[in-house]
Amino acid sequence: MFETIETIEGATIYHGEIHNRVYLSEINSAKIDAILPKMTELAKRKKYDKILGLVPENAITHFKSSGYTIEAKIPGLYNGKTTGYFLADYLNKNRLQCDEKQLKTIETVKRIAMAANKPNENPHMGIPKDYTIRKLWKKDFSSLATLHEMAYKYHPKHIKKVHDFEGLEEMDHQFHGLFVNDELLVSAILRVHTTEANLEIVDFATHPDYRGQNLSYYLVQEIKKLMNVENCTTIYALARATSYGLNITYSKHGFKFAGTLTNNAFVRDAMESMNVWYYNRH
């Protein structure tokens, strides 16, 4: 795995040079005051530019008083009741800078995606007869690794090995795939947060020959059905803020826009801002 995962004061922390940041994904609310200085110390020691935290409402005051700003807001993230917030602190203010062209693209993508939201229409589309969608198991990991190798050919740090997927499986991740004539063409990595009753779409990978065909649409359709199976009340996902396809797909499926995480992840050869989308089960 290209990020270090550790527990600090009961909180789950991801950090690494590839994204050049510390990411707090799960917090122990009783130890908020202890975790904040330790994250800052870690970021300074490793020379990271950004600290990002996903936290419940009761932690906001602590983070804001330490200089964090809200970048996204997900109502009902925790058990369908408590709002979750992405808050960020930038240790290097250059990390906050986006050029004008990039900002215009981000704004256009957001506007077009949000216009595609049709909450009163049923977005369900019948899956073509040659297509199959199912959960992936250990026996599928070699196919999954092959797909990731092709999809992320120019991403040297991306997960591409069978042991990467075995490691993720041990950390409550699951995998789903879309097959056409028994060939795996699109995969999704999900993480179910059982105690929080939410489901995170971590990653999509599409075979290079099938990009632009919006095949992820069918996978998102199936992932929404998992909410009943996994007893989840909310799904959330990140999509590159400059990419039309996935942002529009989420919006078409009734996902709502939560905010934009500025220069949040290193994708291919550049730092990318990420849009956050969420879907609440009604």
Side-chain angles (χ1 to χ4, degrees), residues 83-134:
T83 300
Y85 293 83
F86 279 102
L87 295 106
D89 183 24
Y90 293 84
L91 282 70
N92 179 348
K93 299 307 174 191
N94 290 333
R95 176 84 177 238
L96 258 174
Q97 302 305 312
C98 290
D99 65 52
E100 200 170 325
K101 184 184 175 188
Q102 197 176 20
L103 287 172
K104 280 183 179 175
T105 303
I106 290 171
E107 195 54 41
T108 304
V109 169
K110 183 175 90 170
R111 189 179 71 249
I112 289 173
M114 289 174 79
N117 191 286
K118 303 284 192 293
N120 298 320
E121 291 182 17
N122 180 6
H124 184 88
M125 284 170 60
I127 298 172
K129 60 182 175 63
D130 294 337
Y131 292 21
T132 308
I133 293 176
R134 63 172 175 82

Side-chain angles (χ1 to χ4, degrees), residues 25-73:
S25 69
E26 292 164 53
I27 193 167
N28 178 347
S29 293
K31 296 188 174 180
I32 296 170
D33 290 328
I35 184 65
L36 279 164
K38 290 193 174 178
M39 285 199 302
T40 303
E41 190 276 327
L42 172 64
K44 286 181 175 175
R45 178 161 45 86
K46 296 283 191 177
K47 297 183 170 59
Y48 297 141
D49 287 342
K50 179 175 182 175
I51 307 174
L52 182 74
L54 178 56
V55 299
E57 199 138 17
N58 65 358
I60 284 187
T61 307
H62 299 264
F63 277 78
K64 279 188 163 180
S65 62
S66 295
Y68 285 73
T69 53
I70 294 171
E71 292 198 322
K73 174 183 176 180

Side-chain angles (χ1 to χ4, degrees), residues 224-268:
K224 284 169 69 178
K225 296 176 185 175
L226 283 174
M227 295 178 83
N228 292 325
V229 178
E230 301 292 349
N231 198 26
C232 290
T233 54
T234 303
I235 303 176
Y236 69 100
L238 273 59
R240 285 170 55 225
T242 55
S243 173
Y244 289 90
L246 207 46
N247 286 284
I248 291 170
T249 291
Y250 286 133
S251 188
K252 276 185 175 177
H253 274 295
F255 282 64
K256 293 177 182 172
F257 178 75
T260 302
L261 311 180
T262 302
N263 290 330
N264 192 63
F266 194 82
V267 182
R268 192 163 178 175

